[in-house]
Amino acid sequence: MKAHYKFHVLYKAVFLDIKSKLLAVLCCVGCISVTFASPTEIFPKISQEVQQNITGVVKDKAGTPLAGVNVLVKGEMKGTTTDFDGKFSIAFQAGKTLVFYYIGFSTKEVELTENKPLTIVLENDISQLDEIVVIGYGSVKKSDLTGAVTSVSEKDFPKGAQSSLLNVIQGKAAGVQITQQSASPGGGFSVRIRGAGSITAGNEPLYVIDGLPRDPSNAINPGDIESIEILKDASATAIYGSRGANGVVLITTKKGKEGKVKINYSTYYSVQNVAKRLDLLNGTEYANFINDISTDNNQSAIFTQEEISQIGEGTDWWDQVLGTASVINHQVSVSGGSNNTNYYLSLNHFDEEGIILNTGFQRTMARVNINHESKNYKFGINLNTSLVQDQDVPYGDINAAAGVITTALQMDPTLPVFDENGDYSESMIIDLDNPLAQAETISILARTNRTFGNAYFEYSFLDELSAKINLANDRSTGRTDTYISSVTKRGQASNGSAGIASSESWSNLLEFTVNYNDIIAEDHSINAVLGYSYQDFNNRGFGAGSSNFPTDAFLTNNLGAGDQERFTVSSERSKNQLLSYLGRVNYGFKDKYLATFSFRIDGSSRFGIDEKYGYFPSLALAWKLKNESFLANVDFISSLKLRSSYGITGNQEIGNYNSLVLLGTTGDAVFNGQQFESIAPSQLENPDLKWERTGQLNIGLDFGFFNDRINGSIEYYKKKTSDLLLALPIPETSGFGSSLQNIGDVENSGLEFLLETKNFIGDFNWSTSLNLSTLKNEVTNLGELPLILGGSLRFLPESTIIRVGDPINSFYGYNVDGIFQTQDEVNNSAQPDANPGDIRYTDSNGDGIINVDDRVILGDGFPDFFFGITNTFSYKNLSLNLFFQGVLGAERLNYTRIDTENPIELRRNRQSYVLDRWTPENPSTEHPSFLTNDFSRAINSRVVEDGSYFRLREITLSYNFQHLNNKFINDFSIYVTGQNLFTITDYTGFNPDIGGTDYNSYPLSKIYTLGVNINF
């Protein structure tokens, strides 16, 4: 950063001696330093003559003194900085020029003609303010970045209803794929930065909140976030070592600013409805379809014509459990500060109803950020506390244990909601619960109270040398209450069941870093950091359950009222630790050539005794071509920088104790007539278990044209993950079926493109931001394993395969080659037992038989291409923002469609496309006759669908009332927003953005929002 580019200023020989000793100590502990000139050149002898000093003060346009401004003598190695009153004093030399430099302000030069006090006013430079980017353990100018970092600031955040910080960056960053695993209130997200490098270990990035490495989950308010930086290549992430393989997301919360107290109040109200409904059979269609299937199978019709005429539309079970829902958000913040202290306080309440009955998400949280800075030290505290309440929809697997969404899709529409006694009706034919009964009487309520934050203290020994200690703690307590009422089929088997699961987790962090920033002999800049980090992670849980209650009135409030013989109890405790040493050096020469070297050593308690420590280095180089003489006069090029990096990062997300022998209960034993619980080893030891390691190459080009009206970047990356953590089969004579080992490699590669343009500037403004990414994922080594099958659900066969040459967890099944039309086709096929109207499968290996050997890759969940496009139009105080987002080339396994094509029972409802089924009178259809179920071949190309989509994710129209002539209100804005208004896709499920496998997922909502933001 240019703030650190200042010359050595020495006033006393003692000062020089102290500085030399401290620098020597720093070098001894590992800080890399290079001398480019002799000591006498760098530290010239101090003149013994008495010199006159010129004094002055530096202010901004508002007259506020500016502290820390660099005051340099142009062409000489002399300089100073302003104090907290903006004052400075420097040797006067007539004819010399003083240069005033401060980040965020335009540089100013003043020629010295006479020795009179100076008053210097610096102009704000907005472009420079926007260029400051947070990186691990520091920050740099964007122009000095050597790694691949994407920054998303508050101005880029969408305005609509946002329950999670991941909502605000979805589609905003190249190379970052964010999918919402569930559209339920407070639903979780999956984040993949440059693909997935692990098969069994985690693929989620590391989150760092104001210096605290910890997953924010839903415990942080998007309205408190100042900026989010996403570190993508190894040069940027290697400083986080063992946790950097999947990328790093740095979250910086808001801070107060010097000036008068500012009070902000913002609120919005949203209405949401289901974005897409699946077209199901109504009562009459269902009855006719069931009759047709029965008669075509040479069975008697089930419904008489008189019954069908009385059924009519029947019961729309979706109407019973779906509805219009609201979202309400209130936030108030107070911020301000003096010359050396700033503060930010906020209080937020977010309340989202779910579009499915009795689901919702509530969050109340508070934040306090306080920072103080003196001449030689800084300290501060960032504290966040939250209470989250999540009322979830009852999920389940199959039959009576299936959840609300499954039963609403499959329940018999000829049944009424209530029987003649006013009770929830039940089917005596199919083993499904009444969807409304589940929604109204099964309660799943989770409450989480979480407080996390950090406190830091930084002391500057010299202008160039400082040390910082960072202490952090994250503590969370949670409780989930589940009650299954006896009025449901699921609850009838146990006459009502209740369960309470409580959890407690806490983490402690201690970090100590030393930072050195300097310019040596004008042309050489060094920014170095050296540090130590320790963090532990603790978890404790307790669970209890009971059933067979005399009444449902107790819910989970009286477990003792259940049958004592059915009581269940469980508990757990775990802990893991990380001990780390880190260092990084940023070196610049003549503001043209940049280099970054970082190194981290991590020790983890999760790995084997012989492999506790991992080593993670990285090197990045950058060349500012624009600053070369051959481009200096090329006016249309504003900036041009070439970057390249390579580094190694690690992954330790495998859970605790996998390298150790574990003991567990294995059943009862009888000794001397007494019964004992037996204890035996449950896991083998592996002292050689170690990190997954990811090596990543990155090549990037940053560019800006026409005074940065056009700017962006192009990136190419290739990363290879080795020593994959896989559970390999071992001889059964060991007493175990598998052992966790390091074996296998995976590669991810792709291109990323970012383009930002200012199309019109003036009263009418139009700007565009476009990010595009490609991705290729490939398994390159599995050791001696030929393949790994997985993805089983219910009684269906495996649906995914891991095999060399293919993407991780590719969908694996049978390719559909049409519909048999005649018996002759059947007789001459590899399926002699089929019938006309059945699905014809491809004989992939040509052996004349359709069996498991004919399964092929049907697609994978990785997109070939994904993008986000934002257009912002404004005319004076009126603005319009449109944000589009899309994915191409990703497949989805639609289990909901499997339930339609291969239902467990004939009488389950289906999607209406089955009406266009094959019959001798309707032979041209693409759908089979649906006369028989073939569960063994249910995973096929009919149910693996193209998940590509193009979505208008958000449109916002806003008006800002500025400079109001009101002594209380400075300004306020009002806006209306629509989210998920349309999606163009061929995917037949609720939402193509659900991830790889879609099993009766929570439906996506269209959201309409009215919001107000007021500044006092």
Side-chain angles (χ1 to χ4, degrees):
M1 294 172 61
K2 286 187 178 179
H4 299 128
Y5 292 178
K6 49 186 179 289
F7 298 99
H8 296 280
V9 183
L10 305 177
Y11 300 101
K12 297 179 181 180
V14 175
F15 182 80
L16 173 60
D17 182 62
I18 293 173
K19 177 175 180 177
S20 300
K21 291 179 180 177
L22 286 172
L23 289 178
V25 171
L26 185 61
C27 291
C28 290
V29 294
C31 183
I32 298 174
S33 178
V34 181
T35 302
F36 295 91
S38 67
T40 56
E41 291 174 324
I42 298 177
F43 306 114
K45 292 183 179 180
I46 300 174
S47 172
Q48 301 301 311
E49 300 178 1
V50 177
Q51 294 180 326
Q52 291 184 331
N53 285 351
I54 186 171
T55 61
V57 63
V58 182
K59 303 179 179 180
D60 62 13
K61 288 183 65 176
T64 303
L66 298 176
V69 177
N70 294 286
V71 185
L72 312 174
V73 179
K74 189 174 183 179
E76 296 184 11
M77 292 185 299
K78 295 181 180 179
T80 186
T81 58
T82 59
D83 62 19
F84 277 100
D85 295 320
K87 296 178 181 180
F88 68 92
S89 176
I90 193 169
F92 172 78
Q93 299 179 66
K96 295 294 185 178
T97 299
L98 294 184
V99 180
F100 297 84
Y101 177 79
Y102 193 54
I103 290 180
F105 291 80
S106 298
T107 300
K108 190 168 186 175
E109 297 185 1
V110 175
E111 184 178 355
L112 298 178
T113 58
E114 54 184 340
N115 191 351
K116 290 185 177 181
L118 298 175
T119 299
I120 306 299
V121 178
L122 297 186
E123 302 280 342
N124 289 86
D125 186 340
I126 299 301
S127 63
Q128 286 189 351
L129 283 172
D130 289 345
E131 288 181 346
I132 304 303
V133 177
V134 178
I135 58 174
Y137 301 96
S139 61
V140 298
K141 284 195 311 173
K142 184 178 180 181
S143 62
D144 288 342
L145 275 174
T146 56
V149 179
T150 295
S151 181
V152 183
S153 61
E154 184 186 16
K155 64 181 178 59
D156 302 313
F157 296 168
K159 290 183 177 293
Q162 313 294 346
S163 64
S164 167
L165 70 93
L166 297 175
N167 282 114
V168 304
I169 60 174
Q170 187 173 20
K172 298 287 186 178
V176 182
Q177 185 189 10
I178 300 176
T179 56
Q180 189 167 3
Q181 297 300 94
S182 172
S184 64
F189 288 81
S190 171
V191 180
R192 297 291 179 267
I193 298 177
R194 294 184 167 181
S198 181
I199 295 174
T200 58
N203 283 297
E204 294 293 316
L206 170 69
Y207 296 89
V208 181
I209 311 167
D210 291 328
L212 171 62
R214 203 72 164 128
D215 185 353
S217 187
N218 284 317
I220 190 167
N221 170 26
D224 285 337
I225 299 175
E226 182 77 30
S227 68
I228 298 173
E229 272 75 29
I230 303 169
L231 314 185
K232 297 184 288 188
D233 73 332
S235 171
T237 63
I239 196 71
Y240 290 102
S242 66
R243 293 181 286 180
N246 301 318
V248 180
V249 179
L250 302 180
I251 301 161
T252 303
T253 59
K254 294 178 180 178
K255 307 293 187 293
K257 295 178 175 60
E258 183 179 342
K260 66 177 185 179
V261 177
K262 295 182 179 179
I263 301 174
N264 173 267
Y265 171 71
S266 61
T267 184
Y268 59 76
Y269 178 82
S270 304
V271 176
Q272 51 182 343
N273 295 288
V274 65
K276 178 181 180 181
R277 293 180 58 146
L278 302 186
D279 190 7
L280 302 174
L281 298 175
N282 64 31
T284 298
E285 292 170 338
Y286 168 87
N288 284 322
F289 175 80
I290 296 299
N291 276 355
D292 291 343
I293 293 292
S294 299
T295 55
D296 286 353
N297 273 323
N298 299 316
Q299 297 174 355
S300 301
I302 294 175
F303 296 93
T304 67
Q305 288 303 313
E306 181 180 357
E307 288 173 331
I308 293 175
S309 63
Q310 294 176 352
I311 289 171
E313 293 290 318
T315 300
D316 187 332
W317 290 105
W318 268 116
D319 276 352
Q320 299 301 316
V321 298
L322 275 180
T324 300
S326 65
V327 183
I328 301 174
N329 185 76
H330 298 281
Q331 173 159 331
V332 61
S333 66
V334 179
S335 64
S338 61
N339 289 342
N340 51 9
T341 304
N342 65 68
Y343 56 89
Y344 173 86
L345 303 92
S346 74
L347 184 65
N348 172 254
H349 180 72
F350 178 88
D351 188 349
E352 178 182 7
E353 293 179 345
I355 58 174
I356 292 182
L357 187 66
N358 286 333
T359 61
F361 175 80
Q362 292 183 349
R363 178 182 60 209
T364 302
M365 61 175 49
R367 170 165 284 276
V368 176
N369 292 345
I370 300 175
N371 299 276
H372 176 81
E373 183 173 350
S374 184
K375 183 177 181 180
N376 297 108
Y377 63 88
K378 303 176 184 177
F379 66 84
I381 183 170
N382 304 292
L383 186 64
N384 188 97
T385 186
S386 63
L387 175 62
V388 173
Q389 180 171 292
D390 189 357
Q391 188 170 3
D392 205 356
V393 60
Y395 284 105
D397 191 3
I398 60 173
N399 298 334
V404 169
I405 296 172
T406 301
T407 54
L409 290 170
Q410 299 180 24
M411 193 61 175
D412 183 347
T414 66
L415 284 177
V417 178
F418 300 100
D419 61 22
E420 59 275 8
N421 298 320
D423 299 324
Y424 295 109
S425 64
E426 292 184 5
S427 173
M428 299 295 104
I429 300 170
I430 57 177
D431 189 19
L432 282 178
D433 228 330
N434 184 310
L436 185 62
Q438 289 194 77
E440 291 187 332
T441 67
I442 294 180
S443 172
I444 305 174
L445 184 62
R447 297 180 179 88
T448 304
N449 195 326
R450 182 178 178 186
T451 299
F452 63 86
N454 69 303
Y456 69 89
F457 178 83
E458 182 175 358
Y459 186 81
S460 298
F461 299 97
L462 308 168
D463 291 341
E464 300 84 3
L465 182 65
S466 64
K468 180 179 180 180
I469 186 169
N470 183 37
L471 301 171
N473 180 265
D474 182 1
R475 183 170 293 272
S476 175
T477 58
R479 169 171 162 156
T480 300
D481 290 63
T482 303
Y483 187 78
I484 301 174
S485 169
S486 61
V487 304
T488 64
K489 275 193 174 183
R490 192 191 308 191
Q492 287 170 6
S494 59
N495 196 31
S497 65
I500 299 175
S502 64
S503 63
E504 182 182 7
S505 65
W506 65 98
S507 174
N508 303 291
L509 173 72
L510 167 63
E511 288 182 334
F512 178 76
T513 54
V514 178
N515 193 282
Y516 177 72
N517 299 278
D518 203 1
I519 285 184
I520 301 175
E522 293 193 54
D523 293 329
H524 307 279
S525 63
I526 293 180
N527 179 324
V529 63
L530 187 70
Y532 162 88
S533 176
Y534 169 82
Q535 189 169 10
D536 61 28
F537 308 86
N538 300 269
N539 295 279
R540 184 162 53 202
F542 178 82
S546 184
S547 59
N548 194 18
F549 288 92
T551 175
D552 287 326
F554 293 135
L555 299 178
T556 59
N557 299 312
N558 189 355
L559 296 184
D563 187 346
Q564 293 188 14
E565 294 184 357
R566 300 186 184 184
F567 286 174
T568 61
V569 64
S570 63
S571 63
E572 60 178 348
R573 173 75 165 89
S574 66
K575 178 180 181 179
N576 68 290
Q577 300 163 289
L578 273 175
L579 177 65
S580 309
Y581 304 92
L582 59 97
R584 181 181 60 222
V585 176
N586 292 327
Y587 168 72
F589 179 63
K590 290 189 175 182
D591 201 26
K592 296 180 184 179
Y593 315 109
L594 306 171
T596 300
F597 173 74
S598 67
F599 191 80
R600 182 162 177 141
I601 302 172
D602 272 333
S604 172
S605 63
R606 286 180 167 174
F607 291 95
I609 190 66
D610 299 326
E611 297 288 348
K612 291 292 186 187
Y613 284 89
Y615 305 91
F616 308 101
S618 76
L619 176 65
L621 303 173
W623 179 18
K624 293 184 178 181
L625 288 86
K626 173 58 180 175
N627 292 351
E628 295 288 356
S629 57
F630 57 82
L631 287 179
N633 296 322
V634 181
D635 294 337
F636 75 90
I637 299 179
S638 310
S639 61
L640 193 63
K641 181 175 63 176
L642 181 64
R643 296 179 282 105
S644 180
S645 69
Y646 182 81
I648 296 173
T649 50
N651 189 349
Q652 60 133 15
E653 297 303 317
I654 61 166
N656 298 329
Y657 313 126
N658 279 290
S659 67
L660 305 176
V661 174
L662 296 183
L663 300 177
T665 57
T666 60
D668 294 338
V670 177
F671 183 72
N672 288 336
Q674 290 186 314
Q675 183 174 318
F676 297 90
E677 187 77 27
S678 62
I679 303 295
S682 60
Q683 176 180 285
L684 284 179
E685 178 186 26
N686 182 358
D688 298 319
L689 194 67
K690 60 183 178 181
W691 320 85
E692 292 186 344
R693 295 168 62 85
T694 297
Q696 182 173 179
L697 170 70
N698 190 89
I699 299 173
L701 179 68
D702 301 327
F703 57 84
F705 303 120
F706 306 109
N707 199 25
D708 279 345
R709 287 193 63 169
I710 300 174
N711 67 84
S713 64
I714 302 172
E715 306 270 358
Y716 168 78
Y717 69 89
K718 185 173 185 178
K719 63 179 186 178
K720 181 177 181 178
T721 303
S722 305
D723 297 325
L724 296 180
L725 294 159
L726 297 175
L728 301 184
I730 58 176
E732 293 184 1
T733 53
S734 67
F736 301 91
S738 64
S739 174
L740 194 63
Q741 306 286 335
N742 289 99
I743 188 169
D745 305 325
V746 171
E747 285 188 358
N748 288 275
S749 61
L751 290 169
E752 298 169 0
F753 179 67
L754 172 65
L755 181 66
E756 296 176 333
T757 62
K758 300 174 183 177
N759 308 315
F760 289 98
I761 298 177
D763 284 343
F764 173 73
N765 292 275
W766 171 26
S767 62
T768 301
S769 177
L770 168 67
N771 69 81
L772 311 171
S773 306
T774 68
L775 175 61
K776 180 182 179 182
N777 177 275
E778 181 182 358
V779 178
T780 57
N781 178 25
L782 282 178
E784 297 180 359
L785 290 177
L787 54 86
I788 301 174
L789 295 177
S792 297
L793 184 66
R794 304 181 314 201
F795 49 80
L796 297 176
E798 299 92 347
S799 60
T800 63
I801 186 173
I802 300 172
R803 186 172 63 187
V804 172
D806 297 312
I808 293 176
N809 289 326
S810 296
F811 298 122
Y812 191 58
Y814 297 88
N815 184 62
V816 173
D817 189 30
I819 307 297
F820 285 115
Q821 299 294 324
T822 65
Q823 188 61 45
D824 286 341
E825 285 186 26
V826 173
N827 296 337
N828 295 316
S829 73
Q831 298 169 248
D833 296 332
N835 295 300
D838 286 349
I839 293 175
R840 183 175 62 242
Y841 299 101
T842 301
D843 183 9
S844 301
N845 61 3
D847 64 357
I849 303 172
I850 300 298
N851 57 24
V852 293
D853 296 330
D854 292 302
R855 291 180 293 178
V856 296
I857 299 293
L858 302 174
D860 61 83
F862 296 97
D864 298 326
F865 180 78
F866 53 100
F867 59 91
I869 308 170
T870 301
N871 277 285
T872 302
F873 307 89
S874 65
Y875 179 73
K876 296 185 178 179
N877 294 340
L878 183 68
S879 66
L880 175 68
N881 182 277
L882 295 98
F883 173 40
F884 298 91
Q885 186 250 336
V887 166
L888 295 175
E891 281 74 38
R892 302 288 181 254
L893 175 54
N894 189 347
Y895 267 104
T896 306
R897 185 162 180 169
I898 293 177
D899 287 334
T900 279
E901 305 210 347
N902 288 281
I904 297 174
E905 298 163 314
L906 171 65
R907 295 289 297 273
R908 300 195 180 208
N909 201 9
R910 314 188 191 193
Q911 297 180 55
S912 64
Y913 69 80
V914 299
L915 297 177
D916 187 29
R917 67 188 186 91
W918 185 95
T919 64
E921 298 75 30
N922 185 35
S924 60
T925 179
E926 64 178 15
H927 303 299
S929 64
F930 300 116
L931 293 181
T932 58
N933 288 345
D934 189 353
F935 296 114
S936 65
R937 297 169 189 158
I939 310 298
N940 58 56
S941 57
R942 285 179 59 84
V943 299
V944 176
E945 303 183 38
D946 182 5
S948 302
Y949 68 90
F950 178 74
R951 174 173 292 163
L952 176 57
R953 183 156 300 270
E954 184 163 305
I955 179 172
T956 300
L957 180 66
S958 63
Y959 189 86
N960 189 12
F961 298 85
Q962 295 178 324
H963 310 301
L964 298 175
N965 188 19
N966 188 295
K967 63 180 181 179
F968 298 110
I969 300 176
N970 293 327
D971 62 74
F972 77 92
S973 60
I974 186 170
Y975 61 90
V976 290
T977 295
Q979 295 168 257
N980 307 320
L981 297 188
F982 71 79
T983 301
I984 301 173
T985 183
D986 291 331
Y987 184 65
T988 63
F990 286 124
N991 182 12
D993 191 32
I994 199 63
T997 299
D998 180 6
Y999 180 55
N1000 296 330
S1001 58
Y1002 198 105
L1004 186 69
S1005 298
K1006 288 183 180 179
I1007 308 174
Y1008 304 90
T1009 301
L1010 173 63
V1012 175
N1013 187 69
I1014 307 174
N1015 288 305
F1016 300 92

